[in-house]
Amino acid sequence: MPYGNLEVPLSIKSERFGESIDINLENHIENDYKKQISKITIDDNTLIILDKLNSSSKKILQLLINNNPKNKIFNIGITNEKHRNEIKNTFNQSNINVLIVNNEVEHFGTVDKYDVKLSPHFKKFNNNILISEIGFDPLFGFSGGSTNIVKMFKDLSKQAFLIREDNIPKPGLDNNINRFAEQIGELLNNFSNIGIFEHENSIKRLFTGTLNQTHSAAKEFLLDIGNKTIEHSIKNIILSPGNNQDKTLSSSLNSLFNILHGIEVNSKIILVAQCEDGLGSRAWDLYATGRLNIQKLIKTNNYVEGLESIIYFEEIRKNNRISIVSTLPNYYIKNILKVDSRKTVTEAVNSFVDSQKKTYLLKNSNHIIIKKSV
């Protein structure tokens, strides 16, 4: 099963094995993403915006650069200063102009009486192209497109958190926060989106169009391949995010949130997540060092990036037992997260799960939502 860039062995006796559940791509032909990219026009008034810098976004950016004259200026918008040199070094282009898009904001309109403020660069350039990955999101329901625009800006992220209905994760649902993001997308009529679906370290699907067109198409696709109704009672489950989704603790935990409505109370959950890049958010960094006062933040209507992930995690931990197979230190897993820690998946299966119940395996679990049949 996937563990970072590795495949690790897993041994379960046949009488204890329930089912292996994975995404279903049978009905979806892999589209020619290179051909799609070749149709995208880049001019001097184009800003290409990266919400994150990873292997898939680099592939798309490289194609955009290759498809244009060598002397063309490429304006690249990022949200993290540390990526500036990485972009310069990766693409070795003297004609790349890197801009930080979330340092300054100005008024763009209102959504439900909320004053939406975004980057002035979004008005300066007539053609803004967002490169984003699609997937399930526990707060917004879905990631990609307009959702990822909201996440770029602290005040918008805070507002999204504040208007949540409760402290239960809602991946794969069209909730009020998803609608908030889509309404912001409607304000950005000079935007297009390249939505990426990556599977097994390969770009399998690309969605191009306006922010909300691609978001809508991506939602339909994700639910078609990953929405699973379970007939059985699940008490033991192993989660493997896969697709480079286990690089941080924060991204890996989305797998936990995806299964909340498909397992029994007091289930035993094994999360297999390498977490080679650490914790993954400001909130988790503060939590790890005992400096995060969740109740105070909620009471004062304040927000720290990734706060919802910790709230959701604590809710799931109340009613279930969790074991993590990871490169994170045992001390952190046991004493800070307050969950079980194992060195290998097989060890976790042999000594942690309920031997009287069958064990189910979710591969690519960040792209799967399970729910009980009614």
Side-chain angles (χ1 to χ4, degrees):
M1 65 187 306
Y3 179 71
N5 293 321
L6 306 173
E7 286 284 331
V8 297
L10 169 62
S11 176
I12 305 177
K13 292 180 179 179
S14 57
E15 63 269 21
R16 293 177 59 188
F17 184 67
E19 181 184 353
S20 179
I21 303 170
D22 202 349
I23 61 174
N24 181 12
L25 290 171
E26 288 181 5
N27 297 325
H28 296 275
I29 300 173
E30 209 172 308
N31 58 4
D32 187 348
Y33 71 89
K34 293 181 180 179
K35 185 176 181 180
Q36 286 177 276
I37 294 299
S38 68
K39 296 178 180 179
I40 295 175
T41 302
I42 305 292
D43 58 29
D44 293 339
N45 216 347
T46 297
L47 176 64
I48 302 169
I49 303 154
L50 306 175
D51 66 340
K52 62 175 69 172
L53 192 60
N54 56 23
S55 59
S56 58
S57 63
K58 286 178 182 178
K59 286 178 188 176
I60 298 302
L61 184 54
Q62 186 67 70
L63 285 172
L64 289 170
I65 291 172
N66 292 346
N67 290 340
N68 285 274
K70 291 185 178 180
N71 59 351
K72 179 178 287 296
I73 299 295
F74 293 93
N75 301 295
I76 311 296
I78 58 174
T79 59
N80 194 325
E81 178 65 42
K82 71 179 183 181
H83 291 151
R84 183 186 296 275
N85 288 336
E86 186 177 353
I87 288 175
K88 293 276 190 180
N89 295 334
T90 299
F91 300 101
N92 195 24
Q93 299 276 137
S94 59
N95 55 336
I96 285 181
N97 179 33
V98 180
L99 303 168
I100 305 297
V101 297
N102 58 349
N103 277 353
E104 299 179 10
V105 294
E106 64 180 53
H107 175 75
F108 268 67
T110 57
V111 170
D112 294 334
K113 298 181 180 180
Y114 179 78
D115 183 15
V116 176
K117 294 181 179 180
L118 299 166
S119 172
H121 291 302
F122 296 171
K123 288 182 178 177
K124 176 183 176 181
F125 291 92
N126 292 334
N127 181 26
N128 294 277
I129 301 173
L130 172 68
I131 300 176
S132 64
E133 279 195 82
I134 68 167
F136 294 119
D137 184 276
L139 182 63
F140 290 83
F142 301 87
S143 61
S146 49
T147 292
N148 292 31
I149 292 289
V150 172
K151 289 181 177 182
M152 291 180 184
F153 299 91
K154 292 179 181 178
D155 287 346
L156 289 180
S157 297
K158 174 183 173 181
Q159 179 64 11
F161 175 78
L162 293 178
I163 63 174
R164 74 195 187 286
E165 295 171 344
D166 50 43
N167 289 331
I168 305 300
K170 293 178 173 59
L173 295 178
D174 265 322
N175 57 48
N176 65 315
I177 304 174
N178 183 67
R179 291 190 291 273
F180 171 72
E182 289 180 341
Q183 286 177 287
I184 290 174
E186 290 172 3
L187 299 175
L188 300 172
N189 54 19
N190 60 343
F191 259 76
S192 60
N193 181 44
I194 301 173
I196 304 168
F197 176 75
E198 187 180 54
H199 177 57
E200 296 177 344
N201 300 319
S202 175
I203 296 174
K204 298 293 185 183
R205 194 87 177 173
L206 217 62
F207 298 84
T208 57
T210 68
L211 288 174
N212 287 347
Q213 281 175 345
T214 54
H215 197 50
S216 178
K219 287 190 294 185
E220 184 178 343
F221 169 78
L222 289 166
L223 290 173
D224 189 44
I225 67 167
N227 204 14
K228 309 290 183 180
T229 300
I230 305 299
E231 303 290 337
H232 338 283
S233 171
I234 294 181
K235 293 284 288 185
N236 297 324
I237 192 164
I238 304 171
L239 308 176
S240 174
N243 299 305
N244 291 317
Q245 298 296 317
D246 70 347
K247 285 188 174 295
T248 69
L249 176 66
S250 182
S251 63
S252 300
L253 287 176
N254 285 344
S255 289
L256 277 181
F257 310 143
N258 288 354
I259 67 167
L260 179 61
H261 301 294
I263 59 175
E264 302 296 328
V265 174
N266 296 321
S267 287
K268 293 190 174 181
I269 306 164
I270 300 171
L271 176 63
V272 183
Q274 193 172 43
C275 304
E276 63 176 300
D277 290 341
L279 303 180
S281 75
R282 175 64 176 157
W284 277 111
D285 288 341
L286 293 172
Y287 191 81
T289 52
R291 293 179 293 151
L292 187 73
N293 188 327
I294 297 174
Q295 294 308 316
K296 183 178 179 180
L297 286 171
I298 292 175
K299 187 175 180 180
T300 56
N301 284 337
N302 280 313
Y303 177 75
V304 177
E305 177 224 353
L307 178 60
E308 66 277 5
S309 177
I310 295 173
I311 292 173
Y312 297 154
F313 173 74
E314 290 191 339
E315 284 294 317
I316 291 177
R317 191 181 58 189
K318 286 178 186 177
N319 298 316
N320 301 282
R321 289 194 61 199
I322 300 168
S323 181
I324 297 180
V325 179
S326 171
T327 58
L328 292 173
N330 282 340
Y331 174 84
Y332 177 78
I333 295 174
K334 291 181 177 180
N335 296 282
I336 305 298
L337 296 182
K338 295 182 172 58
V339 299
D340 182 78
S341 175
R342 301 287 167 165
K343 293 181 180 178
T344 68
V345 188
T346 300
E347 179 192 346
V349 169
N350 291 337
S351 57
F352 177 73
V353 300
D354 186 344
S355 61
Q356 303 303 312
K357 302 291 183 180
K358 290 186 179 294
T359 297
Y360 291 80
L361 169 63
L362 259 68
K363 296 178 69 176
N364 303 296
S365 51
N366 268 31
H367 290 316
I368 297 174
I369 290 179
I370 63 171
K371 58 185 178 181
K372 299 174 188 175
S373 61
V374 179

PDB file of all heavy atoms in Angstrom, residues 244-274:
ATOM      1  N   ASN A 244       0.695  11.435  -3.093  1.00  0.00           N
ATOM      2  CA  ASN A 244       1.434  12.532  -2.452  1.00  0.00           C
ATOM      3  C   ASN A 244       0.563  13.347  -1.507  1.00  0.00           C
ATOM      4  O   ASN A 244       0.910  14.474  -1.165  1.00  0.00           O
ATOM      5  CB  ASN A 244       2.057  13.467  -3.503  1.00  0.00           C
ATOM      6  CG  ASN A 244       3.191  12.812  -4.274  1.00  0.00           C
ATOM      7  OD1 ASN A 244       4.022  12.142  -3.684  1.00  0.00           O
ATOM      8  ND2 ASN A 244       3.215  12.983  -5.581  1.00  0.00           N
ATOM      9  N   GLN A 245      -0.577  12.767  -1.101  1.00  0.00           N
ATOM     10  CA  GLN A 245      -1.455  13.474  -0.169  1.00  0.00           C
ATOM     11  C   GLN A 245      -1.051  13.248   1.291  1.00  0.00           C
ATOM     12  O   GLN A 245      -1.683  13.786   2.192  1.00  0.00           O
ATOM     13  CB  GLN A 245      -2.905  13.010  -0.368  1.00  0.00           C
ATOM     14  CG  GLN A 245      -3.479  13.293  -1.744  1.00  0.00           C
ATOM     15  CD  GLN A 245      -3.587  14.780  -2.035  1.00  0.00           C
ATOM     16  OE1 GLN A 245      -3.998  15.563  -1.181  1.00  0.00           O
ATOM     17  NE2 GLN A 245      -3.206  15.167  -3.232  1.00  0.00           N
ATOM     18  N   ASP A 246      -0.013  12.433   1.517  1.00  0.00           N
ATOM     19  CA  ASP A 246       0.405  12.170   2.892  1.00  0.00           C
ATOM     20  C   ASP A 246       1.703  12.881   3.256  1.00  0.00           C
ATOM     21  O   ASP A 246       2.412  12.482   4.165  1.00  0.00           O
ATOM     22  CB  ASP A 246       0.540  10.663   3.135  1.00  0.00           C
ATOM     23  CG  ASP A 246       1.728  10.035   2.410  1.00  0.00           C
ATOM     24  OD1 ASP A 246       2.308  10.702   1.519  1.00  0.00           O
ATOM     25  OD2 ASP A 246       2.082   8.892   2.733  1.00  0.00           O
ATOM     26  N   LYS A 247       2.008  13.948   2.530  1.00  0.00           N
ATOM     27  CA  LYS A 247       3.260  14.662   2.794  1.00  0.00           C
ATOM     28  C   LYS A 247       3.236  15.407   4.124  1.00  0.00           C
ATOM     29  O   LYS A 247       4.272  15.627   4.749  1.00  0.00           O
ATOM     30  CB  LYS A 247       3.572  15.632   1.653  1.00  0.00           C
ATOM     31  CG  LYS A 247       4.081  14.935   0.384  1.00  0.00           C
ATOM     32  CD  LYS A 247       4.549  15.944  -0.639  1.00  0.00           C
ATOM     33  CE  LYS A 247       5.178  15.253  -1.837  1.00  0.00           C
ATOM     34  NZ  LYS A 247       6.413  14.522  -1.495  1.00  0.00           N
ATOM     35  N   THR A 248       2.050  15.825   4.575  1.00  0.00           N
ATOM     36  CA  THR A 248       1.930  16.495   5.872  1.00  0.00           C
ATOM     37  C   THR A 248       0.834  15.834   6.693  1.00  0.00           C
ATOM     38  O   THR A 248      -0.033  15.138   6.156  1.00  0.00           O
ATOM     39  CB  THR A 248       1.588  17.988   5.724  1.00  0.00           C
ATOM     40  OG1 THR A 248       0.249  18.121   5.223  1.00  0.00           O
ATOM     41  CG2 THR A 248       2.558  18.698   4.798  1.00  0.00           C
ATOM     42  N   LEU A 249       0.894  16.060   7.983  1.00  0.00           N
ATOM     43  CA  LEU A 249      -0.166  15.543   8.859  1.00  0.00           C
ATOM     44  C   LEU A 249      -1.512  16.149   8.488  1.00  0.00           C
ATOM     45  O   LEU A 249      -2.527  15.459   8.415  1.00  0.00           O
ATOM     46  CB  LEU A 249       0.172  15.866  10.320  1.00  0.00           C
ATOM     47  CG  LEU A 249      -0.903  15.476  11.339  1.00  0.00           C
ATOM     48  CD1 LEU A 249      -1.057  13.965  11.403  1.00  0.00           C
ATOM     49  CD2 LEU A 249      -0.562  16.040  12.714  1.00  0.00           C
ATOM     50  N   SER A 250      -1.518  17.458   8.236  1.00  0.00           N
ATOM     51  CA  SER A 250      -2.763  18.160   7.928  1.00  0.00           C
ATOM     52  C   SER A 250      -3.468  17.565   6.711  1.00  0.00           C
ATOM     53  O   SER A 250      -4.673  17.300   6.740  1.00  0.00           O
ATOM     54  CB  SER A 250      -2.475  19.650   7.698  1.00  0.00           C
ATOM     55  OG  SER A 250      -3.662  20.362   7.444  1.00  0.00           O
ATOM     56  N   SER A 251      -2.731  17.336   5.624  1.00  0.00           N
ATOM     57  CA  SER A 251      -3.351  16.775   4.424  1.00  0.00           C
ATOM     58  C   SER A 251      -3.755  15.324   4.636  1.00  0.00           C
ATOM     59  O   SER A 251      -4.787  14.868   4.139  1.00  0.00           O
ATOM     60  CB  SER A 251      -2.415  16.897   3.223  1.00  0.00           C
ATOM     61  OG  SER A 251      -1.229  16.151   3.416  1.00  0.00           O
ATOM     62  N   SER A 252      -2.965  14.576   5.403  1.00  0.00           N
ATOM     63  CA  SER A 252      -3.262  13.158   5.646  1.00  0.00           C
ATOM     64  C   SER A 252      -4.547  12.972   6.433  1.00  0.00           C
ATOM     65  O   SER A 252      -5.296  12.019   6.207  1.00  0.00           O
ATOM     66  CB  SER A 252      -2.101  12.497   6.406  1.00  0.00           C
ATOM     67  OG  SER A 252      -0.902  12.577   5.683  1.00  0.00           O
ATOM     68  N   LEU A 253      -4.805  13.871   7.363  1.00  0.00           N
ATOM     69  CA  LEU A 253      -5.985  13.728   8.218  1.00  0.00           C
ATOM     70  C   LEU A 253      -7.298  13.885   7.461  1.00  0.00           C
ATOM     71  O   LEU A 253      -8.356  13.493   7.967  1.00  0.00           O
ATOM     72  CB  LEU A 253      -5.916  14.735   9.371  1.00  0.00           C
ATOM     73  CG  LEU A 253      -4.886  14.423  10.454  1.00  0.00           C
ATOM     74  CD1 LEU A 253      -4.838  15.545  11.480  1.00  0.00           C
ATOM     75  CD2 LEU A 253      -5.185  13.092  11.132  1.00  0.00           C
ATOM     76  N   ASN A 254      -7.251  14.452   6.250  1.00  0.00           N
ATOM     77  CA  ASN A 254      -8.476  14.536   5.459  1.00  0.00           C
ATOM     78  C   ASN A 254      -9.081  13.159   5.230  1.00  0.00           C
ATOM     79  O   ASN A 254     -10.296  13.014   5.091  1.00  0.00           O
ATOM     80  CB  ASN A 254      -8.207  15.217   4.116  1.00  0.00           C
ATOM     81  CG  ASN A 254      -8.031  16.718   4.269  1.00  0.00           C
ATOM     82  OD1 ASN A 254      -8.396  17.295   5.288  1.00  0.00           O
ATOM     83  ND2 ASN A 254      -7.470  17.356   3.268  1.00  0.00           N
ATOM     84  N   SER A 255      -8.236  12.129   5.197  1.00  0.00           N
ATOM     85  CA  SER A 255      -8.729  10.768   5.057  1.00  0.00           C
ATOM     86  C   SER A 255      -9.636  10.376   6.224  1.00  0.00           C
ATOM     87  O   SER A 255     -10.635   9.687   6.047  1.00  0.00           O
ATOM     88  CB  SER A 255      -7.565   9.769   4.979  1.00  0.00           C
ATOM     89  OG  SER A 255      -6.873   9.876   3.771  1.00  0.00           O
ATOM     90  N   LEU A 256      -9.243  10.799   7.426  1.00  0.00           N
ATOM     91  CA  LEU A 256     -10.067  10.524   8.609  1.00  0.00           C
ATOM     92  C   LEU A 256     -11.440  11.157   8.480  1.00  0.00           C
ATOM     93  O   LEU A 256     -12.472  10.545   8.781  1.00  0.00           O
ATOM     94  CB  LEU A 256      -9.389  11.079   9.862  1.00  0.00           C
ATOM     95  CG  LEU A 256      -8.301  10.270  10.556  1.00  0.00           C
ATOM     96  CD1 LEU A 256      -7.819  11.037  11.771  1.00  0.00           C
ATOM     97  CD2 LEU A 256      -8.800   8.909  10.956  1.00  0.00           C
ATOM     98  N   PHE A 257     -11.455  12.400   8.014  1.00  0.00           N
ATOM     99  CA  PHE A 257     -12.706  13.136   7.932  1.00  0.00           C
ATOM    100  C   PHE A 257     -13.627  12.546   6.854  1.00  0.00           C
ATOM    101  O   PHE A 257     -14.850  12.633   6.954  1.00  0.00           O
ATOM    102  CB  PHE A 257     -12.418  14.612   7.653  1.00  0.00           C
ATOM    103  CG  PHE A 257     -11.381  15.207   8.583  1.00  0.00           C
ATOM    104  CD1 PHE A 257     -10.466  16.148   8.117  1.00  0.00           C
ATOM    105  CD2 PHE A 257     -11.313  14.819   9.904  1.00  0.00           C
ATOM    106  CE1 PHE A 257      -9.505  16.686   8.963  1.00  0.00           C
ATOM    107  CE2 PHE A 257     -10.352  15.349  10.762  1.00  0.00           C
ATOM    108  CZ  PHE A 257      -9.449  16.288  10.286  1.00  0.00           C
ATOM    109  N   ASN A 258     -13.025  11.935   5.835  1.00  0.00           N
ATOM    110  CA  ASN A 258     -13.815  11.354   4.744  1.00  0.00           C
ATOM    111  C   ASN A 258     -14.600  10.119   5.161  1.00  0.00           C
ATOM    112  O   ASN A 258     -15.576   9.752   4.503  1.00  0.00           O
ATOM    113  CB  ASN A 258     -12.902  10.970   3.576  1.00  0.00           C
ATOM    114  CG  ASN A 258     -12.365  12.175   2.816  1.00  0.00           C
ATOM    115  OD1 ASN A 258     -12.752  13.306   3.076  1.00  0.00           O
ATOM    116  ND2 ASN A 258     -11.461  11.929   1.891  1.00  0.00           N
ATOM    117  N   ILE A 259     -14.171   9.451   6.244  1.00  0.00           N
ATOM    118  CA  ILE A 259     -14.816   8.184   6.618  1.00  0.00           C
ATOM    119  C   ILE A 259     -15.767   8.320   7.800  1.00  0.00           C
ATOM    120  O   ILE A 259     -16.391   7.344   8.205  1.00  0.00           O
ATOM    121  CB  ILE A 259     -13.772   7.102   6.951  1.00  0.00           C
ATOM    122  CG1 ILE A 259     -13.001   7.473   8.224  1.00  0.00           C
ATOM    123  CG2 ILE A 259     -12.833   6.875   5.767  1.00  0.00           C
ATOM    124  CD1 ILE A 259     -12.173   6.346   8.811  1.00  0.00           C
ATOM    125  N   LEU A 260     -15.878   9.520   8.341  1.00  0.00           N
ATOM    126  CA  LEU A 260     -16.613   9.713   9.593  1.00  0.00           C
ATOM    127  C   LEU A 260     -18.020   9.119   9.553  1.00  0.00           C
ATOM    128  O   LEU A 260     -18.489   8.516  10.529  1.00  0.00           O
ATOM    129  CB  LEU A 260     -16.689  11.210   9.916  1.00  0.00           C
ATOM    130  CG  LEU A 260     -17.448  11.586  11.193  1.00  0.00           C
ATOM    131  CD1 LEU A 260     -16.790  10.951  12.409  1.00  0.00           C
ATOM    132  CD2 LEU A 260     -17.519  13.097  11.344  1.00  0.00           C
ATOM    133  N   HIS A 261     -18.711   9.265   8.416  1.00  0.00           N
ATOM    134  CA  HIS A 261     -20.105   8.818   8.338  1.00  0.00           C
ATOM    135  C   HIS A 261     -20.239   7.394   7.807  1.00  0.00           C
ATOM    136  O   HIS A 261     -21.353   6.941   7.543  1.00  0.00           O
ATOM    137  CB  HIS A 261     -20.898   9.781   7.463  1.00  0.00           C
ATOM    138  CG  HIS A 261     -20.873  11.197   7.973  1.00  0.00           C
ATOM    139  ND1 HIS A 261     -21.454  11.566   9.162  1.00  0.00           N
ATOM    140  CD2 HIS A 261     -20.303  12.323   7.470  1.00  0.00           C
ATOM    141  CE1 HIS A 261     -21.256  12.858   9.375  1.00  0.00           C
ATOM    142  NE2 HIS A 261     -20.562  13.342   8.366  1.00  0.00           N
ATOM    143  N   GLY A 262     -19.107   6.685   7.691  1.00  0.00           N
ATOM    144  CA  GLY A 262     -19.173   5.321   7.181  1.00  0.00           C
ATOM    145  C   GLY A 262     -18.715   4.260   8.158  1.00  0.00           C
ATOM    146  O   GLY A 262     -18.758   3.075   7.850  1.00  0.00           O
ATOM    147  N   ILE A 263     -18.273   4.681   9.346  1.00  0.00           N
ATOM    148  CA  ILE A 263     -17.776   3.724  10.334  1.00  0.00           C
ATOM    149  C   ILE A 263     -18.665   3.725  11.573  1.00  0.00           C
ATOM    150  O   ILE A 263     -19.450   4.649  11.801  1.00  0.00           O
ATOM    151  CB  ILE A 263     -16.323   4.044  10.741  1.00  0.00           C
ATOM    152  CG1 ILE A 263     -16.228   5.464  11.327  1.00  0.00           C
ATOM    153  CG2 ILE A 263     -15.384   3.875   9.545  1.00  0.00           C
ATOM    154  CD1 ILE A 263     -14.840   5.809  11.866  1.00  0.00           C
ATOM    155  N   GLU A 264     -18.522   2.665  12.361  1.00  0.00           N
ATOM    156  CA  GLU A 264     -19.261   2.562  13.616  1.00  0.00           C
ATOM    157  C   GLU A 264     -18.549   3.366  14.706  1.00  0.00           C
ATOM    158  O   GLU A 264     -17.346   3.656  14.603  1.00  0.00           O
ATOM    159  CB  GLU A 264     -19.361   1.098  14.048  1.00  0.00           C
ATOM    160  CG  GLU A 264     -20.031   0.181  13.039  1.00  0.00           C
ATOM    161  CD  GLU A 264     -21.481   0.531  12.796  1.00  0.00           C
ATOM    162  OE1 GLU A 264     -22.144   1.007  13.740  1.00  0.00           O
ATOM    163  OE2 GLU A 264     -21.959   0.328  11.659  1.00  0.00           O
ATOM    164  N   VAL A 265     -19.282   3.700  15.759  1.00  0.00           N
ATOM    165  CA  VAL A 265     -18.670   4.353  16.919  1.00  0.00           C
ATOM    166  C   VAL A 265     -17.692   3.369  17.559  1.00  0.00           C
ATOM    167  O   VAL A 265     -17.897   2.160  17.550  1.00  0.00           O
ATOM    168  CB  VAL A 265     -19.759   4.782  17.927  1.00  0.00           C
ATOM    169  CG1 VAL A 265     -19.131   5.332  19.203  1.00  0.00           C
ATOM    170  CG2 VAL A 265     -20.676   5.817  17.303  1.00  0.00           C
ATOM    171  N   ASN A 266     -16.615   3.900  18.106  1.00  0.00           N
ATOM    172  CA  ASN A 266     -15.559   3.099  18.733  1.00  0.00           C
ATOM    173  C   ASN A 266     -14.833   2.198  17.735  1.00  0.00           C
ATOM    174  O   ASN A 266     -14.395   1.100  18.073  1.00  0.00           O
ATOM    175  CB  ASN A 266     -16.114   2.265  19.892  1.00  0.00           C
ATOM    176  CG  ASN A 266     -16.632   3.124  21.035  1.00  0.00           C
ATOM    177  OD1 ASN A 266     -16.032   4.148  21.366  1.00  0.00           O
ATOM    178  ND2 ASN A 266     -17.751   2.727  21.620  1.00  0.00           N
ATOM    179  N   SER A 267     -14.705   2.675  16.521  1.00  0.00           N
ATOM    180  CA  SER A 267     -13.923   1.947  15.528  1.00  0.00           C
ATOM    181  C   SER A 267     -12.438   2.130  15.789  1.00  0.00           C
ATOM    182  O   SER A 267     -12.013   3.060  16.473  1.00  0.00           O
ATOM    183  CB  SER A 267     -14.260   2.450  14.117  1.00  0.00           C
ATOM    184  OG  SER A 267     -15.526   2.005  13.717  1.00  0.00           O
ATOM    185  N   LYS A 268     -11.653   1.234  15.205  1.00  0.00           N
ATOM    186  CA  LYS A 268     -10.196   1.345  15.276  1.00  0.00           C
ATOM    187  C   LYS A 268      -9.685   1.704  13.887  1.00  0.00           C
ATOM    188  O   LYS A 268      -9.932   0.993  12.919  1.00  0.00           O
ATOM    189  CB  LYS A 268      -9.577   0.051  15.781  1.00  0.00           C
ATOM    190  CG  LYS A 268      -9.948  -0.215  17.255  1.00  0.00           C
ATOM    191  CD  LYS A 268      -9.166  -1.353  17.846  1.00  0.00           C
ATOM    192  CE  LYS A 268      -9.473  -1.482  19.334  1.00  0.00           C
ATOM    193  NZ  LYS A 268      -8.707  -2.590  19.953  1.00  0.00           N
ATOM    194  N   ILE A 269      -8.975   2.829  13.815  1.00  0.00           N
ATOM    195  CA  ILE A 269      -8.553   3.401  12.540  1.00  0.00           C
ATOM    196  C   ILE A 269      -7.033   3.461  12.495  1.00  0.00           C
ATOM    197  O   ILE A 269      -6.396   3.999  13.413  1.00  0.00           O
ATOM    198  CB  ILE A 269      -9.119   4.836  12.380  1.00  0.00           C
ATOM    199  CG1 ILE A 269     -10.640   4.846  12.562  1.00  0.00           C
ATOM    200  CG2 ILE A 269      -8.726   5.416  11.028  1.00  0.00           C
ATOM    201  CD1 ILE A 269     -11.211   6.237  12.792  1.00  0.00           C
ATOM    202  N   ILE A 270      -6.451   2.919  11.430  1.00  0.00           N
ATOM    203  CA  ILE A 270      -5.011   3.012  11.223  1.00  0.00           C
ATOM    204  C   ILE A 270      -4.767   3.967  10.058  1.00  0.00           C
ATOM    205  O   ILE A 270      -5.234   3.732   8.943  1.00  0.00           O
ATOM    206  CB  ILE A 270      -4.391   1.635  10.903  1.00  0.00           C
ATOM    207  CG1 ILE A 270      -4.638   0.653  12.049  1.00  0.00           C
ATOM    208  CG2 ILE A 270      -2.893   1.779  10.629  1.00  0.00           C
ATOM    209  CD1 ILE A 270      -4.240  -0.777  11.722  1.00  0.00           C
ATOM    210  N   LEU A 271      -4.055   5.046  10.312  1.00  0.00           N
ATOM    211  CA  LEU A 271      -3.716   6.016   9.276  1.00  0.00           C
ATOM    212  C   LEU A 271      -2.254   5.823   8.891  1.00  0.00           C
ATOM    213  O   LEU A 271      -1.357   5.965   9.724  1.00  0.00           O
ATOM    214  CB  LEU A 271      -3.946   7.442   9.779  1.00  0.00           C
ATOM    215  CG  LEU A 271      -3.545   8.573   8.821  1.00  0.00           C
ATOM    216  CD1 LEU A 271      -4.371   8.531   7.536  1.00  0.00           C
ATOM    217  CD2 LEU A 271      -3.714   9.941   9.494  1.00  0.00           C
ATOM    218  N   VAL A 272      -2.023   5.476   7.621  1.00  0.00           N
ATOM    219  CA  VAL A 272      -0.672   5.248   7.123  1.00  0.00           C
ATOM    220  C   VAL A 272      -0.252   6.495   6.347  1.00  0.00           C
ATOM    221  O   VAL A 272      -0.706   6.725   5.226  1.00  0.00           O
ATOM    222  CB  VAL A 272      -0.623   4.007   6.209  1.00  0.00           C
ATOM    223  CG1 VAL A 272       0.807   3.728   5.760  1.00  0.00           C
ATOM    224  CG2 VAL A 272      -1.214   2.800   6.925  1.00  0.00           C
ATOM    225  N   ALA A 273       0.587   7.314   6.954  1.00  0.00           N
ATOM    226  CA  ALA A 273       0.904   8.622   6.369  1.00  0.00           C
ATOM    227  C   ALA A 273       2.337   9.002   6.705  1.00  0.00           C
ATOM    228  O   ALA A 273       2.680   9.194   7.874  1.00  0.00           O
ATOM    229  CB  ALA A 273      -0.055   9.681   6.901  1.00  0.00           C
ATOM    230  N   GLN A 274       3.172   9.146   5.698  1.00  0.00           N
ATOM    231  CA  GLN A 274       4.589   9.391   5.925  1.00  0.00           C
ATOM    232  C   GLN A 274       4.849  10.739   6.595  1.00  0.00           C
ATOM    233  O   GLN A 274       5.685  10.852   7.476  1.00  0.00           O
ATOM    234  CB  GLN A 274       5.351   9.302   4.605  1.00  0.00           C
ATOM    235  CG  GLN A 274       6.856   9.225   4.788  1.00  0.00           C
ATOM    236  CD  GLN A 274       7.582   8.955   3.494  1.00  0.00           C
ATOM    237  OE1 GLN A 274       7.263   9.523   2.463  1.00  0.00           O
ATOM    238  NE2 GLN A 274       8.572   8.092   3.536  1.00  0.00           N
TER     239      GLN A 274
END
